[in-house]
């Protein structure tokens, strides 16, 4: 069964109501999916992997759904609950329904990895399928984690190359921080409104170095910059393993600016500012078009009048929909009016030729 096909089917199955609710301690588990007995029978015969690989359409959906129904309680009880308790998430360790969004995403990722492992490797007779799944949980979830990191472009196993250790002076803490950094860029979660989880790394720094008073987030922030500078000494490596996966994280957006924010939100630009910006853009386009046509040997005066009439004629047609008609002067109409006066045309053509000439000189220098 192809990985991409399995994953698309699994993501749909992972959102089923049965997966959203695991039994809390003392609760009765929900009814088992009717496809589970058939899945178990295939496993006993040693043909589950082959059946999953060849199944299509409804048959495949039945197998995948049954696999999810069998797998998710095992993953929650043996992996998710344990790690949520370790993280201090008491509520998340109660049931799937109580998982916070971020924790639920991790749970789904782990379930997906174990289902894929089950449907790929159950190719021999398995008489106790739940025990077999439990015995492969660690390998399956770790492998799934590494494959997800690989899809994000991060190192699957963050390790510090020798050249980077040398750049960092073989400092034990800086090497550990570089490893943390390489691990962090490969996970989808964010550090609130910050790029790096400086608070957590400050705690790790204190534990590793024994410097409890000096291990503050600002100190760690400076050390992060030092590590990044060392990584940038090999820019291709840095762009591949740091910048690219980091750029794939979701950007955190504050729901509202803090009350004590020192900087007020930017006010929308007024109509005149928008008009100036649009005229600047159109003028740049006009200069390029005039220079290109004159370069082909066309008459300068005819080209200037034609280009400016076309460009700024369109500008006059594009009015601001949020402004009432005739609310102010139209810059496009001003330009078109000037093109109707011979003296103005001569002046505009001369000015345009000066600008085009200056741009022509500037272009080779920039190249």
């Amino acid at each position: 069964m192809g990985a991409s096909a399995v994953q698309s089917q699994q993501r749909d199955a992972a959102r089923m109501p049965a997966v959203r609710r695991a039994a809390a301690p003392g609760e009765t588990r929900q009814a088992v999916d009717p496809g589970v007995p058939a899945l178990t029978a295939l496993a006993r015969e040693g043909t589950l992997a082959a059946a999953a690989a060849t199944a299509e359409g409804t048959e495949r959906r039945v197998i995948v759904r049954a696999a999810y129904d069998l797998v998710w309680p095992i993953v929650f009880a043996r992996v998710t609950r344990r790690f949520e308790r370790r993280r201090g998430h008491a509520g998340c360790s109660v049931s799937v329904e109580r998982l916070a969004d971020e924790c639920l995403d991790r749970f789904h990722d782990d379930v997906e990895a174990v289902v894929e492992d089950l449907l790929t490797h159950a190719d021999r007779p398995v008489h106790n399928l739940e025990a077999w799944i439990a015995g492969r949980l660690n390998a399956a979830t770790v492998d799934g984690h590494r494959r997800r990191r690989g899809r994000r472009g991060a190192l699957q196993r963050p390790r510090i190359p020798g050249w980077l250790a040398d750049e960092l002076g073989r400092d034990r803490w800086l090497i550990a921080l570089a490893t943390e950094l390489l691990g962090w860029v490969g996970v989808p979660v964010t550090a609130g409104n910050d790029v790096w989880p400086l608070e957590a790394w400050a705690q790790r720094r204190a534990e590793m170095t024994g410097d409890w008073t000096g291990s503050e987030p600002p100190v760690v922030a400076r050390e992060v910059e030092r590590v990044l500078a060392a990584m940038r000494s090999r820019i291709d490596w840095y762009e591949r393993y740091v910048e690219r996966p980091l750029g794939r994280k979701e950007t955190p957006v504050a729901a509202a600016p803090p009350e004590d924010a020192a900087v007020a939100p930017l006010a929308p630009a007024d109509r005149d500012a928008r008009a100036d910006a649009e005229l600047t853009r159109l003028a740049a386009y006009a200069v390029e078009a005039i220079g290109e046509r004159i370069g082909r040997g066309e008459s300068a005066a005819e080209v200037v009048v034609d280009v400016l009439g076309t460009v700024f004629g369109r500008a006059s047609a594009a009015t601001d929909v949020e402004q009432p008609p005739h609310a102010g002067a139209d810059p496009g109409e001003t330009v078109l009016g000037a093109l109707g006066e011979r003296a103005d045309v001569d002046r505009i053509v001369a000015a345009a030729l000066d600008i085009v000439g200056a741009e022509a000189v500037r272009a080779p220098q920039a190249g």
Side-chain angles (χ1 to χ4, degrees), residues 17-23 29-30 67-77 80 96 107 111 115:
V19 182
R20 279 291 302 179
R21 178 153 179 78
R29 183 181 166 182
Q30 293 172 261
Y68 263 90
D69 193 75
L70 183 66
V71 161
W72 71 256
I74 301 173
V75 172
F76 183 81
T80 307
V96 173
F107 167 72
V111 172
V115 168

Side-chain angles (χ1 to χ4, degrees), residues 109-174:
D109 287 339
D110 287 339
V111 172
E112 179 180 303
V114 176
V115 168
E116 185 168 352
D117 181 79
L118 167 64
L119 299 182
T120 302
H121 294 103
D123 54 1
R124 296 180 182 181
V126 178
H127 298 288
N128 187 335
L129 191 54
E130 291 190 351
W132 185 88
I133 292 170
R136 295 182 60 86
L137 282 177
N138 185 65
T141 53
V142 169
D143 182 62
H145 174 71
R146 288 173 178 167
R147 281 187 281 106
R148 288 192 298 275
R149 290 182 60 86
R151 288 196 294 268
R152 296 178 64 84
L155 289 168
Q156 293 189 24
R157 299 182 181 183
R159 295 177 180 174
I160 303 303
W163 63 264
L164 181 54
D166 291 339
E167 289 284 342
L168 297 174
R170 297 281 171 176
D171 182 277
R172 179 170 169 264
W173 160 242
L174 292 180

Side-chain angles (χ1 to χ4, degrees), residues 271 275-276 279 312 315-316 328-336:
R271 186 172 187 270
D276 287 343
L279 287 174
F312 289 97
S316 296
D330 187 333
E333 290 184 358
T334 302
V335 174
L336 294 177

